[in-house]
Amino acid sequence: MSNPATASRPTRSWPARFVRELYGQVILGMIAGVIVGVLWPKFGADLKPFGDGFIRLIRMLLAPIIFGTVVIGIAKMENLKEVGRVGVKALLYFEVVSSLALLLGLVVVNVMRPGVGMNVDAKTLDPAAISTYTATAAQNHGWVEFLLNIIPNSIVDAFARSDMLQIILFSVLLGIAMARFPAKTQPLFKVIDAALHALFVIVEMVMRVAPLGAFGAMAFTVGKYGIGSLTSLGELVAAVYGTCALFVFLVLGAIARAARFSLLRFLRYIRDEIAVVFATSSTESVLPRMMEKMEDVGCAKPVVGLVLPAGYVFNPDGTAVYLTLAAVFVAQATNTPLSIGDQLVVLAFLMLTSKGSAGVAGAGFITLAGTLASVGKIPVAGIVLLLGIERFINAARAVTNLIGNGVATIVIAKWENAFDHQRADLVLNGGGPGGYAGALAGPTDRNAGDPRGF
């Protein structure tokens, strides 16, 4: 017998629901962008400012949101040892999982051998086309320089350049100071918390123009590079997309099963963010929304504030998949012999150099150029071959990075016993609050009555 209340409620058709959802609007924007890029390539290339403008709107909010989330999260912790414990667990997880991504890429490139038969003479390649990336790679002086660069010259400078690591460092220190003297710093806590709520409202406003950003980004990509740039190096593109899919469903799927949550339901939960990242090739474009959603799904605010931003820097799973694929592809395309030992050396280098480069423009190329120059056996000029498909491959890398960091946040929250399982079941099954404001309001507020947010 039907319920009269539900029987009288109008049921929307699937097309209507699709158009109403953000991910549907983004997909439609991408399709429209591809059509414009194919039919009117010059006009499509001129639409680049739409995509760039959307990403700039999000980047405008990143520094204060990361600052506020980390500070508030740590300030709520009763035991400051939790901060160090969460950080150590996160870095350990990031190293293991991103190394698995590197290894998977190495296996796939040896099985598919996408570069074999291209017979490119490295001497005929123009290294000027990659001079920007090689110059930047040459400036990287190893881990000592990297660690020193985490310390900002000034707080203002860190925020002005939106340097994520420097902002996280200052935020952690301020959060610890506020946790030590909660009574005296309560007014500052209230100001930062109120500002954080307002910033997330702005995020919701900005996300309404995501379909327009997706339209501009895809129109530019297809208009400037053409569909032909995909087919010319199609095997490598297929290898990257296929390996990223394997990594998500095999490696991350196994991690999700071990942590006892459904990866498929989680992917459905963040489908809006996946669509935006695929269209813009930028994980930054959804970082504020991901922080909201990870809290909504049951992860405690302190864990989200520490793990998710740090994952953007230290856990580039998609980039890791790409790096070993690209390095060995260049060797295959230029007929450069590589023994198993040589490939393991490349793998060892990438285990170190792939960390800490996320968030830098052209980070994949910079890391790859620096690694090939350090190894010395593979011609650095060979990465010129990747320029034409870089924009298409970057979409797969970015989506994989996004999913990997979402899974990492849930796993570490569970590891810390800072995860609300009932809330996760409710949200992943299609119920529960939808957004930051909803997560913090009313009787569903998981932080109510607990000063730590746990």
Side-chain angles (χ1 to χ4, degrees):
M1 184 173 178
S2 62
N3 187 334
T6 58
S8 60
R9 187 182 302 160
T11 303
R12 289 189 177 92
S13 63
W14 180 85
R17 292 198 307 271
F18 179 79
V19 172
R20 192 168 179 270
E21 294 286 345
L22 178 62
Y23 79 95
Q25 297 169 13
V26 169
I27 291 173
L28 291 175
M30 291 167 58
I31 293 171
V34 170
I35 293 171
V36 169
V38 170
L39 298 180
W40 304 283
K42 187 178 184 306
F43 176 64
D46 291 339
L47 294 176
K48 186 174 185 287
F50 286 97
D52 291 347
F54 169 69
I55 293 176
R56 283 193 180 191
L57 284 171
I58 293 294
R59 283 179 176 169
M60 169 183 73
L61 301 167
L62 283 183
I65 284 177
I66 291 171
F67 166 75
T69 304
V70 174
V71 170
I72 294 299
I74 293 177
K76 285 184 174 181
M77 287 185 170
E78 290 181 340
N79 183 0
L80 290 178
K81 290 182 180 179
E82 294 171 1
V83 178
R85 190 174 65 241
V86 171
V88 169
K89 288 179 178 179
L91 291 176
L92 176 63
Y93 175 94
F94 295 158
E95 182 62 42
V96 171
V97 176
S98 58
S99 296
L100 287 175
L102 288 167
L103 184 60
L104 182 61
L106 190 64
V107 171
V108 171
V109 75
N110 278 283
V111 172
M112 292 189 64
R113 301 170 64 82
V116 172
M118 294 184 69
N119 300 319
V120 176
D121 185 355
K123 296 178 182 178
T124 64
L125 299 174
D126 180 14
I130 57 168
S131 57
T132 302
Y133 303 107
T134 53
T136 306
Q139 296 173 4
N140 297 332
H141 303 296
W143 278 94
V144 174
E145 190 69 21
F146 170 73
L147 292 174
L148 285 176
N149 286 334
I150 296 177
I151 306 172
N153 292 320
S154 72
I155 298 169
V156 174
D157 179 62
F159 278 88
R161 293 186 297 105
S162 293
D163 190 307
M164 193 176 294
L165 273 179
Q166 293 183 358
I167 292 170
I168 290 174
L169 174 64
F170 173 67
S171 304
V172 168
L173 295 177
L174 181 59
I176 290 173
M178 291 173 64
R180 289 186 63 187
F181 302 100
K184 291 183 178 181
T185 58
Q186 187 66 17
L188 179 59
F189 180 95
K190 290 181 178 179
V191 169
I192 296 175
D193 193 42
L196 193 59
H197 279 73
L199 286 169
F200 277 113
V201 173
I202 298 175
V203 170
E204 295 300 323
M205 296 163 58
V206 170
M207 290 304 293
R208 293 178 183 176
V209 300
L212 184 61
F215 167 72
M218 292 304 293
F220 163 75
T221 300
V222 177
K224 183 172 178 62
Y225 300 109
I227 296 295
S229 60
L230 274 177
T231 57
S232 60
L233 293 168
E235 284 192 38
L236 178 60
V237 174
V240 172
Y241 275 76
T243 308
C244 285
L246 282 174
F247 176 80
V248 169
F249 291 106
L250 293 184
V251 178
L252 296 183
I255 292 172
R257 284 193 297 274
R260 297 185 179 179
F261 71 93
S262 170
L263 177 65
L264 293 178
R265 287 180 181 174
F266 177 68
L267 295 181
R268 182 179 180 277
Y269 174 62
I270 61 168
R271 61 185 182 274
D272 288 351
E273 289 68 36
I274 291 174
V276 172
V277 168
F278 185 83
T280 62
S281 296
S282 169
T283 51
E284 287 183 344
S285 61
V286 297
L287 176 55
R289 287 263 300 195
M290 280 296 289
M291 296 178 85
E292 296 177 53
K293 284 202 164 183
M294 297 317 297
E295 287 188 53
D296 274 354
V297 83
C299 299
K301 181 188 283 288
V303 175
V304 174
L306 283 173
V307 176
L308 198 59
Y312 269 54
V313 180
F314 293 106
N315 189 40
D317 296 332
T319 303
V321 165
Y322 163 77
L323 287 172
T324 43
L325 273 165
V328 179
F329 168 81
V330 170
Q332 293 172 350
T334 56
N335 296 319
T336 302
L338 286 182
S339 66
I340 296 297
D342 294 330
Q343 294 187 36
L344 291 177
V345 169
V346 172
L347 179 67
F349 267 96
L350 287 172
M351 283 181 178
L352 298 175
T353 58
S354 63
K355 309 298 185 297
S357 61
V360 179
F365 261 36
I366 293 168
T367 301
L368 184 60
T371 300
L372 297 189
S374 300
V375 173
K377 297 205 67 170
I378 306 172
V380 179
I383 66 175
V384 172
L385 300 170
L386 305 172
L387 284 175
I389 57 171
E390 169 68 9
R391 179 62 177 75
F392 294 98
I393 286 178
N394 199 31
R397 295 201 310 246
V399 169
T400 307
N401 289 343
L402 173 77
I403 298 170
N405 286 315
V407 170
T409 305
I410 292 179
V411 170
I412 294 168
K414 282 175 168 280
W415 204 350
E416 276 292 294
N417 293 319
F419 188 77
D420 189 332
H421 292 83
Q422 291 183 342
R423 186 184 186 87
D425 289 341
L426 177 67
V427 172
L428 293 181
N429 285 325
Y436 188 77
L440 295 177
T444 59
D445 183 2
R446 70 184 175 283
N447 296 327
D450 190 336
R452 298 175 300 162
F454 277 33

